[in-house]
């Protein structure tokens, strides 16, 4: 047994993570018509070599219209399977579980690649219209007003997630995560700030979670029982009248037995200009409370930057895994450095054996 619970294996169905450090999904905006390429292979592969227990792709769109930007990855074409397969295979060869995050950007779709700007793109600029949301409510004053989805379009979205899960399996991924956070489409349905529908997908809490529950059920129809399914949520909109921790706990409890194995707990992203009290581990209490109330495993994310901090989160039962993003960009070998600091070991690749 490792001297640090951070480096104890975690069994999720028939997938075992070698430790509790997970590379969080991080958009790279560098795909070719949704196709992963050498950038994704090296970016993700280097973090698997770095010793993480699991490595997740960036938010990967279930349809062309579901991309955040023209540079975002996708899994709506069979050729996307061929593009992702080398990445998934290399991650697994290095001892990490390969995870893919399935997403639809909703009203935040069709925007410029960040280093080229932050504005919405028109079709003439390489973007697309229409963009879809639960209601015809724009993200901000600079954003186009989306079209409220019809029930037929909602049914098609559910099929898109199901097809994306099938392709993810064909590409060789071990874990699939449904993205329902950060103001993207599924989060938009959850929050009363963005969901103003009056049909069976809006109004009451039960109606607002209906789409997410249907998406999870459709993914589970094709995602094997032996493989884990994760869900990322924003635990709070940080705004009165929005989605909040109480609703997040109620959602997690409602999902017990649905096939979701772990809730990856983030926050924010639904509306701009919100004052979020950011600080070291500021979202971890959300993960702890959801875990306590629902009994589901959780992942903590957000300004986790040190070995002792990550170890403390797992050791004290606040979360079952920690997900790192910016720290993993700064140091792909963070897990190996953390292991050394905490008296644990991660077997190195044979090519690097002389360095450890």
């Amino acid at each position: 047994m490792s001297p640090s619970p951070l480096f104890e294996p975690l069994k999720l169905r028939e997938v075992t993570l070698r430790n509790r450090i997970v590379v969080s999904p991080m958009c790279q905006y560098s795909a070719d018509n949704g196709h992963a390429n050498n950038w994704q292979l090296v970016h993700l592969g280097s973090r698997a070599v770095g010793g993480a227990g699991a490595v997740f792709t960036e938010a990967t769109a279930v349809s062309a219209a579901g991309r955040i930007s023209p540079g975002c990855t996708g899994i709506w074409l069979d050729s996307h399977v061929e593009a992702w397969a080398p990445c998934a295979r290399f991650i697994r060869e290095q001892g990490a579980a390969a995870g893919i995050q399935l997403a639809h950007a909703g009203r935040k779709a069709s925007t410029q690649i960040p280093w080229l700007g932050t504005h919405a793109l028109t079709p003439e600029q390489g973007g697309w219209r229409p963009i879809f949301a639960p209601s015809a409510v724009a993200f901000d004053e600079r954003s186009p007003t989306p079209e409220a989805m019809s029930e037929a379009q909602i049914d098609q979205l559910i099929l898109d997630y199901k097809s994306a899960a099938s392709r993810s399996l064909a590409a060789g991924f071990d874990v699939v995560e449904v993205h329902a956070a950060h103001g993207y489409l599924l989060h938009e349905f959850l929050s009363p700030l963005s969901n103003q529908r009056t049909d069976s997908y809006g109004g009451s809490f039960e109606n607002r979670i209906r789409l997410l529950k249907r998406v999870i059920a459709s993914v589970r129809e094709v995602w094997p029982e032996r493989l884990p399914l994760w869900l990322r949520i924003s635990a709070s909109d940080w705004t009165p009248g929005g989605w909040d921790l109480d609703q997040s706990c109620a959602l997690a409890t409602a999902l017990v037995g649905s096939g979701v194995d772990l809730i990856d707990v983030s926050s924010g992203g639904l509306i701009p200009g919100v004052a979020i009290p950011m600080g070291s581990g500021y979202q971890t209490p959300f993960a702890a409370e959801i875990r306590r109330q629902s009994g589901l495993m959780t992942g903590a994310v957000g300004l986790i930057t040190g070995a002792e901090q990550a170890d403390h989160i797992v050791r004290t039962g606040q979360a079952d895994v920690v997900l790192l993003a910016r720290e993993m960009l700064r140091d792909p070998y963070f897990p190996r450095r953390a292991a050394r600091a905490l008296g644990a070991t991660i077997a190195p690749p044979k090519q690097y054996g002389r360095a450890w």
Side-chain angles (χ1 to χ4, degrees):
M1 180 176 292
S2 168
S4 165
L6 186 64
F7 291 94
E8 292 177 2
L10 177 65
K11 184 173 175 58
L12 295 155
R13 298 183 185 253
E14 295 183 18
V15 174
T16 299
L17 308 191
R18 59 183 168 186
N19 58 57
R20 310 300 183 92
I21 299 173
V22 176
V23 178
S24 192
M26 292 178 278
C27 290
Q28 299 296 294
Y29 306 104
S30 301
D32 304 314
N33 189 31
H35 294 84
N37 53 41
N38 286 342
W39 179 263
Q40 279 77 24
L41 176 61
V42 175
H43 164 67
L44 299 172
S46 63
R47 283 147 187 87
V49 172
V55 177
F56 272 88
T57 71
E58 61 202 86
T60 298
V62 300
S63 67
R67 293 170 293 166
I68 302 168
S69 80
C72 290
T73 56
I75 192 75
W76 71 86
L77 297 173
D78 290 345
S79 56
H80 292 149
V81 174
E82 299 171 14
W84 275 123
C87 297
R89 182 169 58 249
F90 186 82
I91 291 168
R92 297 175 68 177
E93 287 172 351
Q94 305 313 308
I100 184 169
Q101 186 186 65
L102 304 181
H104 191 295
R107 68 182 185 178
K108 296 174 79 173
S110 189
T111 58
Q112 181 60 281
I113 292 170
W115 51 85
L116 299 178
T118 58
H119 57 282
L121 293 175
T122 65
E124 293 75 24
Q125 295 170 320
W128 50 92
R129 294 291 183 276
I131 58 174
F132 296 103
S135 304
V137 179
F139 175 66
D140 61 21
E141 66 279 358
R142 300 181 303 160
S143 301
T145 299
E147 290 190 10
M149 297 178 72
S150 68
E151 292 204 18
Q153 289 167 333
I154 289 173
D155 289 342
Q156 181 58 54
L157 175 75
I158 292 165
L159 292 176
D160 289 342
Y161 270 93
K162 184 175 183 178
S163 297
S166 292
R167 291 191 176 97
S168 299
L169 181 65
F173 287 100
D174 302 297
V175 187
V176 69
E177 177 174 88
V178 172
H179 194 359
H182 301 164
Y184 299 123
L185 184 59
L186 295 178
H187 182 187
E188 292 164 18
F189 270 85
L190 294 177
S191 177
L193 297 177
S194 48
N195 185 346
Q196 299 178 5
R197 300 176 73 94
T198 57
D199 63 2
S200 61
Y201 291 98
S204 68
F205 170 80
E206 290 74 17
N207 283 356
R208 286 182 282 114
I209 70 171
R210 187 182 309 278
L211 173 58
L212 178 56
K213 290 176 69 177
R214 288 191 64 193
V215 165
I216 290 167
S218 72
V219 168
R220 260 297 169 205
E221 287 179 12
V222 295
W223 192 246
E225 186 71 19
R226 61 185 175 82
L227 298 179
L229 169 63
W230 293 16
L231 171 66
R232 171 163 277 197
I233 65 169
S234 281
S236 173
D237 290 337
W238 298 101
T239 302
W243 184 259
D244 56 22
L245 178 58
D246 287 344
Q247 292 174 87
S248 295
C249 291
L251 171 65
T253 300
L255 293 177
V256 172
S258 69
V260 172
D261 298 289
L262 184 144
I263 308 288
D264 172 3
V265 186
S266 188
S267 71
L270 184 81
I271 55 177
V274 176
I276 298 176
M278 296 178 67
S280 179
Y282 70 105
Q283 294 172 145
T284 301
F286 293 146
E289 186 62 16
I290 290 169
R291 186 178 190 265
R292 186 187 71 81
Q293 288 200 30
S294 70
L296 288 174
M297 287 187 281
T298 62
V301 60
L303 296 182
I304 299 170
T305 60
E308 292 78 11
Q309 177 192 14
D311 177 73
H312 176 76
I313 290 168
V314 176
R315 183 182 298 276
T316 56
Q318 296 178 74
D320 299 275
V321 299
V322 292
L323 294 100
L324 280 68
R326 289 177 177 85
E327 190 61 24
M328 293 298 295
L329 291 181
R330 290 186 284 263
D331 181 7
Y333 293 89
F334 173 89
R336 297 190 182 279
R337 179 163 54 82
R340 187 179 296 114
L342 296 171
T345 58
I346 303 173
K350 57 183 179 294
Q351 296 90 338
Y352 290 3
R354 66 178 69 90
W356 273 272

